[in-house]
């Protein structure tokens, strides 16, 4: 009985950790989207305005990149720990975790590229009017983050439709 209780406590702790990862991922999607929007606004400003805006955008993009790395690492560890095969219970299986970790890696690549371009844009001699490569990278990162979230969360609408059909 004690072993079963300890096992259940460990499962609950893992479940809380997993849901925490999803919540962090949702927050990252939201904040990365806001930063992309701010970058778009900065692109429309004059040189001084862009420079001022970048002083706030660059640190946020750095935070997003670091959070992305942390979430990706956690998902990769969960994928390594998951048993092969289909998921049992409410959480995703090894395949979904592995694919989500890969989406996070790809998002991180896009974020790092955008961050490098933002840092280059901070240098007065190189402040560019063409922010499309930056916002494009931020947008691609968002797409990968959303794909990772979709892999981790079961489709809610489909489940509701299935219940209506029964």
């Amino acid at each position: 009985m004690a072993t079963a209780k300890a096992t259940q406590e460990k499962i609950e702790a893992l479940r809380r950790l997993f849901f925490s990862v999803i919540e962090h991922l949702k927050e990252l999607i939201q904040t990365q989207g806001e930063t992309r929007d701010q970058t778009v606004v900065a692109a429309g400003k004059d040189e001084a305005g862009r420079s001022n805006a970048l002083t706030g955008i660059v640190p946020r993009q750095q935070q997003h990149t670091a959070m992305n790395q942390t979430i990706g690492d956690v998902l990769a560890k969960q994928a390594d720990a998951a048993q092969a095969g289909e998921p049992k219970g409410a959480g995703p299986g090894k395949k979904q975790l592995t694919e989500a970790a890969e989406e996070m890696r790809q998002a991180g690549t896009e974020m790092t590229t955008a961050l490098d371009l933002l840092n280059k844009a901070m240098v007065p001699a190189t402040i560019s009017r063409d922010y499309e490569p930056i916002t494009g990278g931020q947008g691609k990162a968002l797409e990968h983050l959303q794909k990772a979230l979709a892999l981790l969360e079961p489709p809610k609408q489909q489940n509701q439709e299935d219940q209506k059909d029964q």
Side-chain angles (χ1 to χ4, degrees):
M1 193 68 162
T3 304
K5 187 173 182 172
T7 302
Q8 180 158 355
E9 288 173 1
K10 287 181 183 181
I11 290 171
E12 288 300 319
L14 284 172
R15 185 174 290 132
R16 281 191 303 275
L17 174 65
F18 175 72
F19 287 125
S20 172
V21 169
I22 288 179
E23 293 305 314
H24 285 298
L25 178 54
K26 287 178 180 178
E27 181 181 16
L28 179 59
I29 290 169
Q30 177 186 349
T31 57
Q32 178 65 65
E34 291 167 357
T35 300
R36 182 177 184 270
D37 292 345
Q38 292 169 355
T39 306
V40 169
V41 170
K45 295 183 178 186
D46 64 7
E47 188 174 318
R50 284 192 305 273
S51 180
N52 288 336
L54 288 178
T55 60
I57 293 171
V58 170
R60 282 191 295 277
Q61 189 64 57
Q62 289 170 330
Q63 291 171 345
H64 305 328
T65 304
M67 178 58 78
N68 181 78
Q69 181 66 44
T70 301
I71 294 170
D73 290 347
V74 168
L75 289 173
K77 287 178 185 175
Q78 288 180 349
D80 290 342
Q83 298 205 359
E86 291 299 311
K88 293 176 176 62
K94 184 175 184 72
K95 181 178 185 234
Q96 291 87 355
L97 289 166
T98 301
E99 289 175 5
E102 176 59 21
E103 290 293 341
M104 297 301 292
R105 187 195 64 72
Q106 291 178 29
T109 299
E110 295 294 342
M111 287 180 184
T112 300
T113 301
L115 182 59
D116 290 345
L117 292 170
L118 283 166
N119 282 320
K120 288 178 183 174
M122 290 282 294
V123 179
T126 62
I127 292 179
S128 170
R129 291 183 184 269
D130 182 16
Y131 276 51
E132 196 287 319
I134 298 169
T135 58
Q138 290 171 327
K140 288 177 187 174
L142 278 169
E143 290 173 15
H144 289 295
L145 294 173
Q146 290 165 343
K147 287 178 184 177
L149 182 61
L151 287 163
L152 298 172
E153 284 190 322
K156 292 177 184 175
Q157 291 178 340
Q158 186 177 16
N159 290 342
Q160 291 172 352
E161 290 173 9
D162 289 345
Q163 290 174 355
K164 289 178 185 176
D165 291 342
Q166 293 177 358

